[in-house]
Structure formats: structure tokens, C-alpha cells
Amino acid sequence: MAAKKGGFKNLTDKDMANADGKVPPRQRSCTNCQDKHLKCDKHVNVLDKCTNCQKYNEQYCDVSPK
């Protein structure tokens, strides 16, 4: 049998935020990465800007509230 493509990712205990089995909340991308459909690392990066905003020399790198 061939494996199915796509579907749900099998989450491990490391991926789970809570012991009750809920999936952790998604990280928001900055507005520039949202516009360009790029993966944002602002929540990981310790600098003022994410890697993409540094690469494209963007003036602002901010995450808009929901």
C-alpha cells in the first residue's frame, strides 16, 4: 500500500504545548512576510527584524494584532 500524501502531522509530546493534548497556538508572521507569503522567524530571532525583513532591507518588521 502506498502512503497517503498530506493529511495531519503526527504530533509528538514535544510538539504538544499542554498535557491535555491541545495543539500549541500558531506563531504570527510579520506583515511583510504575510504579504510576500514567506515563513517568518520573528518569534525566534532576537534582533528587531526577522531574517526576511533584513534580507529585503524593510524599514519596519511588526506583527499586527489579530
Side-chain angles (χ1 to χ4, degrees):
M1 293 176 89
K4 290 175 74 176
K5 291 185 178 180
F8 293 101
K9 176 184 171 187
N10 293 330
L11 297 175
T12 62
D13 292 341
K14 187 175 116 177
D15 296 329
M16 295 292 185
N18 303 324
D20 60 358
K22 291 185 178 179
V23 178
R26 293 174 52 171
Q27 298 292 334
R28 304 261 313 157
S29 296
C30 71
T31 52
N32 296 321
C33 289
Q34 286 177 2
D35 292 341
K36 296 177 183 177
H37 300 282
L38 299 172
K39 189 171 182 178
C40 184
D41 62 350
K42 185 164 177 79
H43 60 280
V44 178
N45 205 342
V46 294
L47 301 174
D48 295 345
K49 298 180 180 181
C50 71
T51 306
N52 295 319
C53 288
Q54 291 174 14
K55 179 179 176 183
Y56 294 112
N57 200 20
E58 297 287 346
Q59 188 174 3
Y60 300 107
C61 180
D62 59 335
V63 177
S64 63
K66 231 177 177 182

